[in-house]
Amino acid sequence: MLKAVIFDMDGVIADTNAHHQIAWRAYYEQHGRTLSDAEFVEHIAGKHNNAIVGHLFPGQVLPPDDVYRLGYEKEALFRELYAPDIKPVAGLPAFLTMLKEHGIKTAVATSAPVENLDFVIDTLQLRPFFDALLHEKLVTRPKPDPEIYLKAMNMLGVSAAESVIFEDSMTGLQAARAAGARVIGVATTHTLDELAPYTHDAVHDFTEMSWERVSV
């Protein structure tokens, strides 16, 4: 029986990918690098900032404080760029309302910093819909490790068999599958065909998601 639905944030709650790409491209250029669309999908989409900074400065071992500072600078740039355009993935508010009407517990589990989480959730006025909000500082191992999803389930008091996870990136899908839940892909980063081998179901957005479909 379905008791909980857990959402990634970037590409699931809000389709932030285009603005993250713009921000990362600008940040790469500030550091004398270029960033192609293919590099964004391979090295950035769904990745933790620590790994991305490693790609930005290959062959260098940066102190943790520098890695955090560089990631923080980019995320501040992202929030500035995205603020005028922010909107939820289509159908999400109605879907969240439906879940609450059925008594389903909900959580966000994102690898993003808490500043981004607060920015997205509060700007979209979605905080009342969620029972738990997890960000990068609440785990020690980023996706594709399942730690953040297992912790979300624990906070909600549910098992993997009682949970559905919505994800869009390959690292996120790996984490969701490893957590043991039913996984539904959202085709904001990858196509439905690309998502199919790694998900139990996949949708373009939440306008396609009914109670019958999510509670299978």
Side-chain angles (χ1 to χ4, degrees):
M1 179 183 295
L2 178 65
K3 292 186 179 180
V5 175
I6 305 171
F7 301 81
D8 176 40
M9 185 178 73
D10 289 301
V12 175
I13 299 294
D15 191 0
T16 57
N17 289 331
H19 288 79
H20 273 298
Q21 187 168 356
I22 292 168
W24 274 117
R25 180 170 284 124
Y27 201 62
Y28 267 54
E29 289 174 353
Q30 289 176 17
H31 292 278
R33 295 280 306 279
T34 59
L35 180 68
S36 68
D37 292 346
E39 282 182 306
F40 179 80
V41 172
E42 181 178 357
H43 297 288
I44 293 179
K47 303 293 194 303
H48 189 272
N49 276 357
N50 290 358
I52 300 171
V53 169
H55 178 257
L56 176 57
F57 298 101
Q60 300 185 41
V61 179
L62 299 175
D65 287 349
D66 285 353
V67 173
Y68 178 80
R69 175 183 56 80
L70 292 164
Y72 186 87
E73 289 175 355
K74 177 268 162 183
E75 297 306 334
L77 177 60
F78 157 74
R79 293 191 295 273
E80 178 183 347
L81 292 169
Y82 191 44
D85 301 319
I86 187 170
K87 60 183 179 180
V89 169
L92 177 67
F95 181 63
L96 289 170
T97 298
M98 180 189 69
L99 292 177
K100 288 305 176 185
E101 289 173 348
H102 283 85
I104 301 301
K105 296 180 180 180
T106 55
V108 177
T110 177
S111 296
V114 64
E115 293 87 355
N116 285 19
L117 176 61
D118 289 341
F119 163 69
V120 170
I121 297 302
D122 290 333
T123 304
L124 297 178
Q125 300 181 334
L126 296 177
R127 193 174 290 267
F129 287 106
F130 294 105
D131 301 293
L133 299 170
L134 291 83
H135 52 83
E136 63 167 357
K137 287 294 183 68
L138 297 181
V139 294
T140 58
R141 300 180 301 278
K143 302 173 187 177
D145 191 282
E147 180 187 5
I148 195 166
Y149 284 124
L150 295 173
K151 186 168 185 176
M153 293 175 200
N154 184 61
M155 291 174 68
L156 296 177
V158 298
S159 68
E162 298 167 327
S163 303
V164 166
I165 297 173
F166 283 90
E167 263 288 358
D168 69 302
S169 71
M170 290 303 166
T171 51
L173 292 171
Q174 292 175 50
R177 290 297 295 260
R182 181 167 174 255
V183 182
I184 301 179
V186 181
T188 53
T189 302
H190 299 278
T191 67
L192 293 178
D193 287 343
E194 290 170 336
L195 292 171
Y198 308 98
T199 61
H200 299 93
D201 193 2
V203 295
H204 289 100
D205 56 48
F206 293 97
T207 64
E208 301 174 5
M209 185 54 60
S210 64
W211 172 249
E212 290 73 21
R213 191 168 182 176
V214 74
S215 62
V216 170

